[in-house]
Amino acid sequence: MPIKVQNNLPAKEILENENIFVMDENRAIHQSIRPLQICILNLMPIKEDTELQLLRALSNTPLQIDITFMKMNSHVSLNTSANHLNRFYNTFDELKENKYDGMIITGAPVEHLPFEEVDYWQELCEIMEWTKTHVFSTFHICWGAQAGLYYHFGMKKYLLPEKLFGLFEHRVMNRKIPLVRGFDDIFMAPHSRHTAVSNEEIHACKDLIVLAESDKAGVYLCMTKDGRQVFVMGHPEYDRVTLHNEYIRDKNKGLDIKIPENYYTNDDCTIRPSLQWRAHCNNLYTNWLNYYVYQETPYELNEIHGE
């Protein structure tokens, strides 16, 4: 699938070296088809890493996607250069008149804070409300999923006894739903979080369908019945070494961090970890784009309306 990005986005060269088809703005203007308009609200601290991970995950269908990156106006990012943000990102105020086929709201390293104490919470609430009328399907990841469940359904997060960190088995709960079409009965997915949302509350919500769950990690994937909101509690987009880098970072800081579960061979962090989740990650994003964005969204984006 050709992904259309800004001409000089650093991730573009990396993806091209991986033999992933990335189309720049100059080539895209000569195409006569309407690409899917996807907005990514990137709340992660090192934004270039998340850009690369998500663009790689979105690169596996024949659909053409036009990517727009959004940043928070009410938060100053300390881990990504202002030059990068100014060149490749727009604020909500600059984009709120637009409509999008799909939107991704990423995780964020703020789970130790109550939602209302996050400095950009009010702006995020405005964005999540805006998605109801300006985005056809919104895909929430990790903390973004917890924030979405709290805002839309009033579900509170709670602190886990210890960090949920590593690769965990999940089982498909409802194979008839297209979002998990092609999934194995049991699949692996990464998690890295200190908080969770009650499994019981999610199962009891009449507006949600649970699609995948783990004995250890809890509900992994759920969505509204109309597919307009998707919630993923883990990080399917993570690269091979993302958990490794997090582990080494925290270990070097002297933090009380356990080795990520089911990740290293013999729990030996000097051995390059095996990539055990990429196929299901690709499948998840492909199914979302195909069945909940491309197949359902109106050709004229102005026809997107509220729920």
Side-chain angles (χ1 to χ4, degrees):
M1 171 194 66
I3 301 175
K4 176 177 171 286
V5 296
Q6 296 98 323
N7 293 339
N8 299 315
L9 185 74
K12 177 176 178 289
E13 182 178 356
I14 299 173
L15 292 169
E16 287 174 335
N17 289 334
E18 295 178 8
N19 202 30
I20 292 173
F21 184 14
V22 182
M23 181 181 297
D24 65 23
E25 296 165 310
N26 295 332
R27 181 170 180 179
I29 62 175
H30 297 291
Q31 302 246 331
S32 59
I33 62 174
R34 181 177 90 72
L36 295 177
Q37 299 294 325
I38 304 295
C39 183
I40 298 176
L41 175 56
N42 188 354
L43 302 174
M44 294 295 279
I46 304 177
K47 302 199 183 300
E48 295 98 323
D49 289 353
T50 304
E51 292 161 11
L52 181 60
Q53 292 165 8
L54 288 174
L55 292 176
R56 187 184 286 124
L58 295 170
S59 66
N60 291 282
T61 81
L63 304 171
Q64 182 176 318
I65 297 178
D66 189 346
I67 299 292
T68 300
F69 290 105
M70 182 188 289
K71 63 180 179 179
M72 306 304 288
N73 198 41
S74 51
H75 176 77
V76 177
S77 178
L78 301 177
N79 297 284
T80 301
S81 72
N83 178 58
H84 183 88
L85 292 170
N86 291 334
R87 290 181 69 187
F88 302 116
Y89 282 72
N90 295 98
T91 65
F92 175 57
D93 285 341
E94 294 169 326
L95 300 175
K96 64 183 180 182
E97 299 304 320
N98 300 341
K99 292 197 173 184
Y100 294 93
D101 297 289
M103 184 171 189
I104 296 173
I105 299 177
T106 73
V110 292
E111 56 185 329
H112 60 289
L113 295 173
F115 290 118
E116 290 81 2
E117 292 184 16
V118 175
D119 60 1
Y120 51 78
W121 178 247
Q122 289 304 316
E123 185 180 5
L124 181 58
C125 289
E126 186 180 357
I127 292 170
M128 290 190 289
E129 186 64 27
W130 168 86
T131 64
K132 295 179 180 180
T133 53
H134 287 72
V135 179
F136 197 78
S137 182
T138 304
F139 192 100
H140 308 71
I141 302 172
C142 200
W143 182 86
Q146 295 181 0
L149 289 171
Y150 180 62
Y151 177 77
H152 293 295
F153 302 103
M155 296 183 189
K156 297 180 179 180
K157 61 183 173 72
Y158 64 91
L159 188 66
L160 294 168
E162 62 181 16
K163 185 177 184 180
L164 184 72
F165 189 43
L167 280 177
F168 301 95
E169 284 190 349
H170 304 76
R171 60 188 178 278
V172 174
M173 306 297 292
N174 195 330
R175 186 164 294 284
K176 293 183 179 180
I177 303 299
L179 192 59
V180 290
R181 186 168 290 169
F183 275 44
D184 294 331
D185 291 339
I186 303 293
F187 64 95
M188 303 295 284
H191 289 262
S192 178
R193 52 188 168 88
H194 293 275
T195 55
V197 178
S198 165
N199 292 342
E200 291 75 18
E201 279 194 69
I202 295 174
H203 278 284
C205 181
K206 60 181 179 58
D207 296 316
L208 294 174
I209 305 171
V210 175
L211 299 178
E213 192 167 4
S214 166
D215 291 338
K216 181 69 181 287
V219 170
Y220 170 71
L221 176 63
C222 63
M223 71 175 197
T224 54
K225 292 179 180 178
D226 60 5
R228 295 288 297 273
Q229 296 169 345
V230 175
F231 305 95
V232 184
M233 306 304 171
H235 281 285
E237 79 286 352
Y238 267 11
D239 288 339
R240 180 194 304 270
V241 296
T242 306
L243 291 175
H244 170 79
N245 291 340
E246 289 184 9
Y247 173 65
I248 298 301
R249 176 200 66 198
D250 291 352
K251 188 177 178 182
N252 288 341
K253 289 181 179 179
L255 300 178
D256 183 19
I257 181 69
K258 291 186 176 180
I259 199 163
E261 293 187 46
N262 310 312
Y263 182 58
Y264 299 113
T265 301
N266 299 323
D267 283 344
D268 184 348
C269 68
T270 65
I271 299 176
R272 189 169 188 248
S274 298
L275 189 56
Q276 304 176 56
W277 63 94
R278 175 64 58 79
H280 280 86
C281 166
N282 291 343
N283 206 357
L284 174 60
Y285 282 95
T286 296
N287 286 346
W288 174 63
L289 285 173
N290 185 28
Y291 297 116
Y292 298 93
V293 180
Y294 174 68
Q295 299 287 353
E296 299 293 337
T297 191
Y299 187 82
E300 296 293 338
L301 279 175
N302 286 332
E303 296 178 10
I304 293 177
H305 51 79
E307 298 171 307

